[in-house]
Amino acid sequence: QLTVTDTTGTSTTATLQVPVENTAPRVEITSFANGDLYSQSTPTQLQLAGTAIDAEHSPTQLSWAWQVTLHHVTHVHPEPPILQPTATTTLSPSGGGAEFFAYSIDLTVTDACGLATTARHWLFPDTTGASTTVLLAQPASGDRVAVGSPILFSAVTTGTVQRVEYRVDGELIGVATAAPWTCTWTPTVTGPLVAMALAVGTDGTASNSRGIPFTVEAPVTTKARLHNSTDDVVEAFGMA
């Protein structure tokens, strides 16, 4: 509790609740797959639903907020939040050409003590019928990689492709200008991520892959007990 009093004796008090042994909710989006596609010809009616489990609070003590955001190259266009557990939102077809478009869908659930967890899924344009196709070959869905370790990106394409762009959670992380379309990227943060590839054709149009979820993890610290020649025990730490 903080109380501030001015020279006239008028005071204001603010109170901050500090939870003890409280854990954040476990949150999952369940109504569509992470990395799925949305239509480029007609609006997509997307169901928003998920699960939230909190060890210390009942469902009625949790608040829900959905955030739908359109990503266009380096710009973001958030829509008004949806403050209910389930809803339906409309995803409009995005522009053509060779530019990157995607939607991110965030679900944030907050408990009565203010602890919150956010789950994010991505959706990418369905570019079926484009003059090119691209399939993200590496990384693979479900891969678990160590933070600070380089990751190889590669793709398989058809059609006349001039370059392949790779993005992770919407951020451009590498460009390949010749087959076999490879590049490397080193993650600096941990957590779940989604990779995708966008192939730009010589005709100025583009196709993109589905999103591929993978996880970046912190290195595991191991502890070993070593014996020297005098049978003294020495503890050594290492990174696995």
Side-chain angles (χ1 to χ4, degrees):
Q1 188 177 79
L2 173 65
T3 300
V4 178
T5 305
D6 63 19
T7 55
T8 66
T10 303
S11 62
T12 300
T13 299
T15 301
L16 174 65
Q17 184 179 30
V18 180
V20 178
E21 296 183 353
N22 182 46
T23 57
R26 300 196 307 273
V27 178
E28 182 180 358
I29 297 173
T30 58
S31 53
F32 61 94
N34 196 6
D36 226 343
L37 304 178
Y38 64 94
S39 175
Q40 286 290 76
S41 58
T42 59
T44 298
Q45 299 298 311
L46 184 69
Q47 298 296 317
L48 302 178
T51 60
I53 300 174
D54 191 289
E56 295 82 24
H57 297 88
S58 68
T60 58
Q61 295 176 295
L62 303 178
S63 60
W64 296 58
W66 294 91
Q67 179 65 63
V68 179
T69 303
L70 173 65
H71 298 252
H72 174 209
V73 193
T74 59
H75 309 289
V76 294
H77 307 276
E79 299 181 3
I82 302 171
L83 305 179
Q84 57 193 54
T86 59
T88 301
T89 191
T90 301
L91 306 183
S92 300
S94 47
E99 296 183 329
F100 166 77
F101 287 91
Y103 281 97
S104 63
I105 313 293
D106 292 339
L107 169 58
T108 300
V109 179
T110 307
D111 68 19
C113 292
L115 285 185
T117 300
T118 298
R120 168 173 286 189
H121 277 193
W122 287 85
L123 295 106
F124 300 100
D126 183 351
T127 53
T128 301
S131 64
T132 61
T133 65
V134 60
L135 173 67
L136 184 61
Q138 292 176 278
S141 180
D143 275 359
R144 309 185 79 86
V145 299
V147 66
S149 298
I151 303 173
L152 177 66
F153 282 71
S154 66
V156 178
T157 65
T158 65
T160 307
V161 175
Q162 62 171 302
R163 71 178 186 273
V164 174
E165 299 178 359
Y166 294 104
R167 291 180 180 266
V168 173
D169 272 18
E171 296 293 328
L172 182 66
I173 57 91
V175 178
T177 56
W181 315 113
T182 60
C183 75
T184 58
W185 172 71
T186 302
T188 58
V189 296
T190 60
L193 300 171
V194 174
M196 63 86 69
L198 183 142
V200 178
T202 56
D203 61 356
T205 64
S207 60
N208 56 254
S209 69
R210 288 179 177 270
I212 301 297
F214 69 101
T215 302
V216 178
E217 300 177 320
V220 178
T221 302
T222 59
K223 183 178 180 181
R225 295 174 67 85
L226 307 176
H227 293 266
N228 62 20
S229 59
T230 60
D231 290 332
D232 293 331
V233 175
V234 179
E235 291 187 347
F237 292 85
M239 308 300 288

